[in-house]
Amino acid sequence: MWESLFKLGGTLEGRTRWVLGLAGALVLLLLWTLLAEGFSEERLDPIEAPSNVSDRTYLDNDSLLRNNYDALLAMSEEELAGLGLEKNTVYPTLPTPLQTLRSFEELHFEDYLLANSFKSIGLNLLGYVVAIAISIPLGFLLGLIPFFGGLFRKIFDGFRFIPLTAVTGIFVMWLGLDSPMKVAFLAFGIIVYLVPVVVQRIEEVDDVYLKTVFTLGATNWQKIRSVYLPSVLSRLSDDIRVLTAISWTYITIAEMLNRSGGIGELIWIARRQSRLDKAFAVLIIIVLIGILQDRLFVGLDRLLFRHKYVQEKK
């Protein structure tokens, strides 16, 4: 059993894979907790601070506390209480998993986590629909017609090197700050990567299928319908799944611009409040949404391209 776990190029059975996945999650939580505690700091807060001054400002402006801070930290809780102080542990660098978990309540009731999450999901799906509707016909045009490929293929290859965060200002000037700008920006970010991939998938179509339909006297449209479309789309579905993860970067950038709702606004709020626990909680939500989206794409892939999984079932 142990040899199979470390066998080069080996595979894991379903139960073993689930057990190892759970163990990996527990190890990650343990490391997270240890790192948070390692970077934690102890801070003295007044038990009764002046009502018009925050606790932290009161401490920072008190010269006696500032000069004797280390000595005060070494005192017991009873001695500190006699001075009107108490010792608290803060996590300025990394919140603990428990702090992050507790922040979900505030995100749900005060920051409308569900509504903002669904708004970002809708924006993501709409951007994908627009991008796919443009990329597939355009990619087929560049990949199948030499004239158009010679004119524009190198240009589209170069578009991949455009830093998308730098063109947000252009989209704002064109379309303003509302949802159409966000959808267009997200679609553009997907198109510049997806069009060259479509062209590459066309070039990877097995020549034996093309020769077969040519022998049978197929027309150009029949070649596209019976060979190119099934082959390219079945492989392209995997590429679209990969781009799903990248698209969330563009969503958060677009939603931070005018802060009209969405995951990006929640991250902006957490940053303004210096709430690392809320920021980490929002990141966890993005990961969970991404996993669900990935499973959705896998299900659609199995439904639309069943031939890819015939060998797996056998």
Side-chain angles (χ1 to χ4, degrees):
M1 176 182 177
W2 292 104
E3 293 180 357
S4 63
L5 293 178
F6 298 96
K7 181 181 178 181
L8 188 65
T11 58
L12 296 174
E13 297 179 357
R15 183 178 179 181
T16 304
R17 184 167 57 249
W18 279 103
V19 171
L20 288 178
L22 179 60
L26 294 176
V27 169
L28 181 61
L29 285 175
L30 177 60
L31 291 175
W32 181 359
T33 303
L34 292 176
L35 285 173
E37 294 296 339
F39 288 107
S40 65
E41 299 177 0
E42 289 187 329
R43 189 183 70 183
L44 295 175
D45 291 324
I47 296 176
E48 295 181 0
S51 58
N52 61 337
V53 183
S54 67
D55 292 355
R56 178 137 195 157
T57 304
Y58 175 74
L59 279 174
D60 291 343
N61 292 335
D62 193 301
S63 59
L64 178 62
L65 294 180
R66 211 169 48 240
N67 294 331
N68 298 276
Y69 205 81
D70 293 336
L72 290 169
L73 284 175
M75 291 184 179
S76 64
E77 293 184 3
E78 292 78 8
E79 292 173 325
L80 290 173
L83 297 174
L85 299 171
E86 64 179 355
K87 187 186 301 183
N88 292 315
T89 302
V90 295
Y91 301 88
T93 304
L94 186 66
T96 64
L98 185 58
Q99 283 181 311
T100 304
L101 183 63
R102 288 173 176 170
S103 68
F104 279 105
E105 182 179 0
E106 182 179 344
L107 283 169
H108 176 68
F109 290 105
E110 297 184 14
D111 297 318
Y112 308 104
L113 177 62
L114 287 179
N116 284 301
S117 298
F118 280 114
K119 184 171 185 177
S120 295
I121 292 172
L123 180 66
N124 189 5
L125 294 178
L126 184 57
Y128 256 96
V129 171
V130 173
I132 292 173
I134 295 174
S135 298
I136 292 179
L138 189 57
F140 270 85
L141 191 66
L142 300 182
L144 292 178
I145 309 300
F147 175 76
F148 294 107
L151 282 176
F152 302 114
R153 181 173 176 181
K154 295 297 182 182
I155 296 175
F156 271 91
D157 288 341
F159 281 169
R160 291 180 297 174
F161 300 100
I162 295 177
L164 294 178
T165 53
V167 301
T168 52
I170 298 175
F171 278 89
V172 170
M173 288 187 288
W174 283 346
L175 302 172
L177 289 170
D178 294 328
S179 295
M181 181 277 296
K182 299 174 183 179
V183 173
F185 174 73
L186 178 59
F188 175 77
I190 298 172
I191 289 170
V192 295
Y193 288 103
L194 197 56
V195 170
V197 172
V198 174
V199 176
Q200 180 183 347
R201 295 308 185 193
I202 290 174
E203 294 177 345
E204 292 174 353
V205 173
D206 199 333
D207 192 52
V208 67
Y209 300 121
L210 296 174
K211 290 180 179 179
T212 300
V213 295
F214 176 78
T215 304
L216 296 174
T219 63
N220 287 336
W221 168 242
Q222 289 173 330
K223 289 180 182 178
I224 294 175
R225 186 185 64 182
S226 60
V227 177
Y228 282 110
L229 277 175
S231 177
V232 172
L233 293 181
S234 63
R235 297 184 182 185
L236 197 63
S237 62
D238 297 324
D239 302 313
I240 293 174
R241 283 178 55 202
V242 174
L243 286 175
T244 305
I246 302 175
S247 67
W248 279 100
T249 302
Y250 309 147
I251 289 175
T252 54
I253 293 172
E255 289 178 338
M256 283 183 182
L257 293 176
N258 66 338
R259 300 182 297 278
S260 60
I263 294 291
E265 182 178 3
L266 295 184
I267 295 177
W268 181 85
I269 292 174
R271 183 183 65 182
R272 287 293 302 269
Q273 296 175 343
S274 298
R275 291 286 302 276
L276 281 174
D277 54 340
K278 291 174 67 173
F280 272 74
V282 174
L283 292 178
I284 291 174
I285 291 296
I286 293 176
V287 170
L288 294 177
I289 294 174
I291 292 174
L292 292 176
Q293 279 187 322
D294 184 74
R295 293 297 91 194
L296 175 63
F297 275 105
V298 170
L300 290 175
D301 189 58
R302 289 180 177 272
L303 180 64
L304 298 175
F305 309 107
R306 297 178 181 178
H307 63 278
K308 293 169 59 176
Y309 303 93
V310 172
Q311 187 64 35
E312 178 182 325
K313 290 181 180 179
K314 291 182 179 179

